[in-house]
Every structure is written in C-alpha cells, then in structure tokens.
Amino acid sequence: KQEVTQIPAALSVPEGENLVLNCSFTDSAIYNLQWFRQDPGKGLTSLLLIQSSQREQTSGRLNASLDKSSGRSTLYIAASQPGDSATYLCAPRGIQGAQKLVFGQGTRLTINP
Amino acid sequence: GAVVSQHPSWVICKSGTSVKIECRSLDFQATTMFWYRQFPKQSLMLMATSNEGSKATYEQGVEKDKFLINHASLTLSTLTVTSAHPEDSSFYICSAVRDSSNQPQHFGDGTRLSIL
C-alpha cells in the first residue's frame, strides 16, 4: 500500500526566499507524480506533472524533481511571493489497480510580505 | 480556465435529505473520474473510482449504498449522498482524467456539504 509523507508539515518564511518542499513515497511502481496547490476551502490546482521516466519538470518559478528509485520528489519554489501561500500536495499515481493518486498530508506554506 | 466543473459549491440541508453533487469534465472525455472526501486540515481520501458505463469501485470502508455514484457519460459523474446525517458533513472533491496513464488528473473546486 502506497504511503506518502511530506516534510515539513508547515513552513512560514519571508517573501523572496527560495524554498524546497519534500515528498517521499514507499512504492516506486508509479506512472507519474503530480504536485498540487490547494487554497483554503478550494479544490486542487495542478502545478506540475512529472512522468516516471523524467528527472524534473519546470513551470515558471516552480521546479519539481523525481527520484523514483529512492521514492522522493521535491518541489522547488524560487523567489517566493505572498500569493504562493497555500497547501502543497504531492500525489504519486500507481501502476496497480485503478492508477489512483495517493496524497500526502501536505505542506502548509505561508509567505510573509 | 477550469477543465473540471463541480456543482454545487456549497450545500446546507437537513438531516435525512439526499444530496446530489455533479462533476463535469468541460473540454475532454473522462473515462475515469474519482471522488474524494476531505476533513478539515486533513488530506484527501479517495472514496471511489468511477468508470463510464460501469459500476463504481469503492474504497474499503466507504458504503456504496450511502454514496451512490453514477458515471452516465464521458463528461459527467454524480455523487449522491443518501439520507445524509451530520457526520456526512465534509468537503467533497471530484477529479477527472483522460484515458491514458500519463495524463494529469484535473480537480473540481469541491463541494462543501453541511448537514444540520
């Protein structure tokens, strides 16, 4: 059974800092891994999708890396802004069963102006 | 813009009422849709996987007679919470994916259900 852990659980930093959010998963048999952000009371917004054959993906100030064999992914946020404040979730998509996503508990990020 | 639309966004109703939530994929055909439940300050818990034209697959511990799922077309899945009680109050979110393992899941904005 896939288990996903995200560290840290919460992070509060001043504006402008570069950040690294960590995600680890126990079953490396995955098709891909998605990073999402969730604003309070809202659904999920997909940030990046990284395939199992890829090492990293970039979108603007966001960069996600994937080390499938060690069960780790990181989300790097450059030059953080107050608008980046949200909960960030990672979710690997398994090969077995219905290819469903398994979510970590998330990292609650606060960027202070 | 949003590729998955979920409706309604907020429901308040009396105990014993049945509530239907719709999930639509707006610009692609979704052979598979997923329904999640989220409690405050917790992560998403998968309730069921919905495939067009077939019965939904429920996760362990989820009552299929309580949470009825219908995936009648490639763009619409519905979740009906039957005879809702206060403990069913939660945030329900759907997602949709194209028929390919390398495609991302797209999520709706969620439905806040409050049972009085």
Side-chain angles (χ1 to χ4, degrees):
Chain A
K1 178 185 175 184
Q2 181 75 277
E3 294 183 3
V4 181
T5 303
Q6 289 188 245
I7 294 173
L11 185 62
S12 180
V13 299
E15 181 177 5
E17 286 201 6
N18 301 324
L19 309 169
V20 175
L21 308 182
N22 297 292
C23 170
S24 61
F25 48 95
T26 55
D27 186 355
S28 61
I30 63 171
Y31 273 122
N32 52 49
L33 184 144
Q34 268 182 277
W35 280 92
F36 299 89
R37 69 172 281 168
Q38 185 178 29
D39 294 288
K42 300 292 186 181
L44 274 64
T45 300
S46 182
L47 298 173
L48 288 163
L49 170 71
I50 183 164
Q51 303 294 345
S52 62
S53 59
Q54 296 176 320
R55 299 286 289 183
E56 62 179 63
Q57 275 287 341
T58 298
S59 176
R61 295 182 293 108
L62 305 179
N63 175 278
S65 68
L66 175 64
D67 183 344
K68 194 180 76 162
S69 60
S70 66
R72 294 178 184 173
S73 179
T74 60
L75 179 67
Y76 177 83
I77 303 176
S80 58
Q81 302 171 357
D84 295 331
S85 298
T87 295
Y88 290 79
L89 297 159
C90 73
R93 186 176 181 186
I95 291 175
Q96 299 297 324
Q99 303 174 24
K100 54 194 178 188
L101 297 179
V102 177
F103 285 87
Q105 294 287 356
T107 293
R108 191 168 63 255
L109 178 64
T110 303
I111 307 298
N112 302 302
Chain B
V3 296
V4 174
S5 173
Q6 194 171 334
H7 178 81
S9 56
W10 202 318
V11 179
I12 301 175
C13 59
K14 295 181 179 180
S15 184
T17 305
S18 291
V19 178
K20 179 184 283 188
I21 303 170
E22 292 188 349
C23 180
R24 293 180 184 273
S25 59
L26 299 180
D27 60 359
F28 66 95
Q29 292 186 329
T31 54
T32 305
M33 291 185 173
F34 300 87
W35 287 95
Y36 297 83
R37 184 173 182 175
Q38 187 177 33
F39 290 105
K41 298 187 186 293
Q42 294 190 22
S43 192
L44 280 74
M45 296 298 296
L46 180 66
M47 298 175 65
T49 302
S50 169
N51 291 295
E52 187 266 339
S54 63
K55 291 184 178 180
T57 302
Y58 290 82
E59 295 298 301
Q60 191 173 8
V62 178
E63 300 176 58
K64 62 180 181 180
D65 295 329
K66 174 76 171 176
F67 300 99
L68 300 179
I69 292 172
N70 187 312
H71 193 156
S73 76
L74 287 172
T75 59
L76 175 64
S77 177
T78 61
L79 168 68
T80 301
V81 183
T82 62
S83 187
H85 289 95
E87 59 266 28
D88 298 322
S89 299
S90 190
F91 192 56
Y92 294 87
I93 311 175
C94 71
S95 71
V97 65
R98 287 183 175 92
D99 185 21
S100 174
S101 58
N102 66 353
Q103 294 296 314
Q105 280 193 27
H106 297 282
F107 283 75
D109 280 339
T111 297
R112 174 78 55 197
L113 177 60
S114 297
I115 308 299
L116 305 177

